[in-house]
Amino acid sequence: MLKQPQQKYRPFAAIKLADRRWPDAELTAAPIWLSTDLRDGNQALIEPMDLARKLRMFEMLVKIGFKEIEVGFPSASQTEFDFLRQLIEEKRIPDDVTIQVLTQAREPLIRRTFEALQGVPRAIVHLYNATAPVMRNVVLGLDQDGVVDLAVTHAKLFKQLADEQPGTDWRFEYSPETFSDTELPFALRIVDAVTEVWAPTPERKCIVNLPTTIERCTPNVFADMIEWMHRHMARRDSIVLSVHPHNDRGTGTATGELALLAGADRLEGCLFGNGERTGNLDLVNVALNLYTQGIPPNLDFSDIDEVRRCVEHCNQLPVHPRHPYVGDLVYTSFSGSHQDAIKKAFAVAKPGDVWDIPYLPIDPKDLGRSYDAVIRVNSQSGKGGIAYLLEAEYGIELPRRLQIEFSQVVQGVMDDTGKEQSAADIWGIFEREYGIHEVSVAHPVITTREQGVVSLEADVSAGGRQMSVKGAGSGPIDAFVAALHAHGHGVRVLDYHEHAIGSGADARAVAYLELRIDDATSLFGVGIDSDIVSASMKAILSGVVRAKRQAAAPAAVASVA
């Protein structure tokens, strides 16, 4: 890289628009959308779509709700021509959808385009030619007058060929292709010259499309350019002002949104931003940005994963896992503090509330996503994320102190493995750590004597040891603790929590008991059973097993040393 890049590159000149209005404007409605997946998106693919893929993409775009779809460049190849003919001859274009096709300002290509459109009920024909100085001087070899004449001549040919097919409802679109690099006065001159030929009216508008063919300036500068054109174009009330942002600087979404504030009526782009070089404007991104502001986008992404699968199949390109709204990881928090905030917000949220969940700008369920991936656990995670996964997947609602204790266990596993832990992984760690399958209670007999004394007898198993226990106390748990004392286990119950898992005939109870065993440091035991008393007894046995395991651990370490 150059130490003095100014010797090779020049900054984009600011637009002198002292009274710009767009910074104070607000977006209140969705724009007109044009999908160009089948044209601009397709021509940017390593392997362009075949007819089957093009048809699948077209049907998905219709299903989403696009009313204007650029289906191809029919003069560019036989595949493009044949696809257009298939749509027309098989009557695959819904009555409320208008297809669009693109052609350069070259007579043979324009004639071939209108030939491909024979019999179509409605169509937008999109004319373009380059207008920037480097294109005029180096590529076309024309001065400004010559470029204007090129555009006007072919705009007239559009009218002539459309008049020859009166059965079609024709609309015309014009793009000064390299608008973002064109002097504004010249862009205005050529646009006005073309619209003068087409003579649009407020009832039958034409489309003027202003692309960031190469994104060179910041979005605010492009917004100034759009507002300048919006305020100076002749016949503005008879024009749909469209923009076609590219993403060379990585700011295509901002460019599109600010252009709408500046007076644009229509956005052209692709699903998930496919397109030449770094891509076109991501229409999904803009649409769902509007949705999160309470503005109906008039596009349906309620099954966004199906849309992604279609796009990945047709484009043969993967969607990045961090891609806004659709990526595999975009609703996922690994950070412990993030997870804790999300868990707490979900706990107090009620149906019908305004969405206000930390770190989630949109409810994943609105897009057909579940909450399964909202919180995932790795070495950066904390107790909140672990507790959330156990509750969401297994109905286990850990008390706060148990969350702290168990998160240290999970952290130890992750420090050893260095890998992410799924909900199933965490559940497996939980079952092992708390001996869920190492304890059992059979044939419990509980009776209440005089003065409220409870006696208890049961056959129990803990860590492979079988015992028949008998004891008495003020209640079943107290009686069980007394019974264990007779077998050499000093147990004190410090705290108790329980809740049901499931409902009806399949309901189970889970008990969490904070215990001190043989005067060692307090720890938790966990028991699960269809009967709450048996679950509590299992929780005590769980604590006994854990205490023995922890007591044995230092000796094992010492013997290895």
Side-chain angles (χ1 to χ4, degrees), residues 115 206 236 288 303 306 326 369 397 411 445 538 547 551:
E115 177 187 349
C206 71
R236 178 64 184 93
L288 294 179
D303 191 349
E306 180 189 3
V326 69
R369 288 279 186 91
E397 301 171 15
Q411 188 68 49
V445 177
K538 286 182 176 181

Side-chain angles (χ1 to χ4, degrees), residues 156-177:
K156 291 177 179 177
L157 181 59
F158 264 43
K159 286 196 69 176
Q160 174 192 325
L161 295 176
D163 289 343
E164 293 173 4
Q165 297 186 49
T168 295
D169 180 7
W170 298 105
R171 292 174 61 202
F172 299 149
E173 176 173 347
Y174 175 68
S175 289
E177 183 214 353

Side-chain angles (χ1 to χ4, degrees), residues 19 35 40 48 87 186 274 284 297 308 378 406 429 444 448 545:
D19 60 341
S35 161
D40 203 348
L87 292 180
F186 180 61
N274 183 43
V284 182
R308 182 186 64 185
N378 66 10
F406 182 55
I429 297 169
T448 303
V545 169

Side-chain angles (χ1 to χ4, degrees), residues 149-217:
D149 182 65
L150 177 74
V152 167
T153 298
H154 293 94
K156 291 177 179 177
L157 181 59
F158 264 43
K159 286 196 69 176
Q160 174 192 325
L161 295 176
D163 289 343
E164 293 173 4
Q165 297 186 49
T168 295
D169 180 7
W170 298 105
R171 292 174 61 202
F172 299 149
E173 176 173 347
Y174 175 68
S175 289
E177 183 214 353
T178 47
F179 167 77
S180 51
D181 288 326
T182 301
E183 313 95 315
L184 283 177
F186 180 61
L188 179 66
R189 177 187 170 192
I190 197 167
V191 164
D192 284 350
V194 169
T195 61
E196 183 178 8
V197 171
W198 287 342
T201 67
E203 294 72 36
R204 292 193 59 79
K205 297 181 179 183
C206 71
I207 301 166
V208 171
N209 181 55
L210 303 177
T212 53
T213 307
I214 303 172
E215 189 181 46
R216 298 190 195 276
C217 63

